[in-house]
Amino acid sequence: MPHPAPGPGDPEDPRLAEVVDAVRSSRRYQSVAPETVRRLATSALVASRGDLAEAVKRTKRGLHEIFGAYLPSPPKYDALLRQLRGAVDAGDDEAVRATLHRAMSTHASTRERLPILDEFYREVFARCADPASVRDLACGMNPLAAPWMPGSDAFTYHASDIDTRLMEFLDAALETLGVAHDVRVRDLMTGVGEVETDVTLLLKTVPCIEAQGRGQGWDLIDAIRSPLVVVSFPTKSLGQRSKGMFNTYSANFDAWLENRPHDVEQLEFRNELVYFVRKNA
């Protein structure tokens, strides 16, 4: 008796490879981690009932929501790196920070934090004494803020995101800045990995994970192996509308915290609600 042909959602379905190839052949998404494209394409094939064209559209729409909306156009990585190396070689700290500002401004989420970088990281590192290691999940351009982080010359910076080209750039930029680091391409929907650090930054990431799988954003906080986790939420959309986001996220956080033994401190910055979660077993 012949076996039935693989259907939508089946990893052996040949249409899945076609959708993945079609999406990754576009300049816009060619640097996104293959596992992320494949994961979204699998769901899109099921939702489109096997319609290839519709599955490609749905996959690209999903990638826009978790990636494209935050990095509207590919930064000029090579030029930024040349400028950064030139400023570092010249010993011009002002030019170094100006170049880092330009680079961080290319990423929507990181750009929103630029006006408060000094205040933000002064508050963060006042709550973790001399960390030897810092982890930044779904980091975007945030690792470039290392010069604003007290003690960055003494800790190892572990950063991850789903964009391979971005991570290559960050690897070279952190090397240029003299920041000890380890950068990896990682899709958080498949787990956070086994790295244990003194502090983990999970900045404006939970809502993005929740949009892909209900409950998984909150599970992520539980899975992180750090005594201090800095979790933040946007209080305005990328279009600068509040939409009641502060009330929604604070209520959701309170619901997650219930029956957990952690010590928590809340701070509100411009457009960002931050929780300092000290994990207690």
Side-chain angles (χ1 to χ4, degrees), residues 28-277:
R28 187 72 189 89
Y29 298 118
Q30 63 185 2
S31 66
V32 177
E35 64 180 309
T36 303
V37 177
R38 186 177 183 86
R39 174 173 59 77
L40 292 175
T42 300
S43 298
L45 261 178
V46 173
S48 67
R49 298 180 181 178
D51 184 302
L52 284 176
E54 180 62 21
V56 170
K57 288 181 183 178
R58 285 176 178 267
T59 303
K60 288 183 176 180
R61 189 181 310 136
L63 286 169
H64 175 77
E65 292 172 355
I66 68 172
F67 168 75
Y70 298 95
L71 206 63
S73 58
K76 296 179 180 179
Y77 291 117
D78 292 340
L80 287 168
L81 198 55
R82 283 196 302 272
Q83 293 165 15
L84 180 61
R85 286 170 173 162
V88 169
D89 289 345
D92 189 338
D93 290 343
E94 185 176 341
V96 168
R97 293 200 172 208
T99 301
L100 295 174
H101 258 263
R102 282 195 296 275
M104 286 187 282
S105 70
T106 63
H107 191 283
S109 182
T110 314
R111 180 171 62 245
E112 292 175 343
R113 198 176 296 116
L114 288 178
I116 59 166
L117 272 184
D118 284 309
E119 177 190 5
F120 187 90
Y121 284 111
R122 183 171 60 247
E123 294 290 349
V124 168
F125 286 90
R127 288 161 174 79
C128 49
D130 302 322
S133 54
V134 173
R135 196 175 190 195
D136 195 343
L137 297 173
C139 63
M141 285 284 190
N142 192 60
L144 299 183
W148 284 264
M149 301 178 186
S152 63
D153 57 342
F155 61 65
T156 300
Y157 202 118
H158 301 263
S160 64
D161 210 311
I162 62 171
D163 183 354
T164 58
R165 184 67 186 90
L166 170 62
M167 301 317 293
E168 290 170 358
F169 168 71
L170 291 177
D171 183 30
L174 292 173
E175 181 71 26
T176 301
L177 292 170
V179 176
H181 64 281
D182 177 61
V183 301
R184 296 175 184 268
V185 176
R186 181 177 295 279
D187 184 338
L188 294 180
M189 294 296 289
T190 62
V192 297
E194 297 300 315
V195 176
E196 184 171 350
T197 56
D198 295 325
V199 58
T200 291
L201 305 176
L202 189 64
L203 305 180
K204 294 188 282 189
T205 298
V206 170
C208 189
I209 299 297
E210 282 291 291
Q212 300 174 73
R214 189 172 181 180
Q216 293 193 47
W218 301 101
D219 290 344
L220 195 61
I221 306 175
D222 290 323
I224 289 170
R225 300 178 63 190
S226 290
L228 176 64
V229 184
V230 183
V231 186
S232 78
F233 300 88
T235 54
K236 289 187 179 179
S237 68
L238 291 178
Q240 295 302 298
R241 291 180 293 174
S242 65
K243 301 180 179 180
M245 294 167 71
F246 180 98
N247 291 336
T248 297
Y249 291 136
S250 58
N252 290 344
F253 185 89
D254 288 344
W256 169 82
L257 185 61
E258 190 175 357
N259 299 322
R260 284 176 171 82
H262 310 319
D263 295 325
V264 172
E265 180 183 358
Q266 173 186 312
L267 284 180
E268 185 180 4
F269 296 88
R270 165 180 168 165
N271 294 356
E272 197 162 358
L273 174 64
V274 181
Y275 292 95
F276 299 92
V277 181

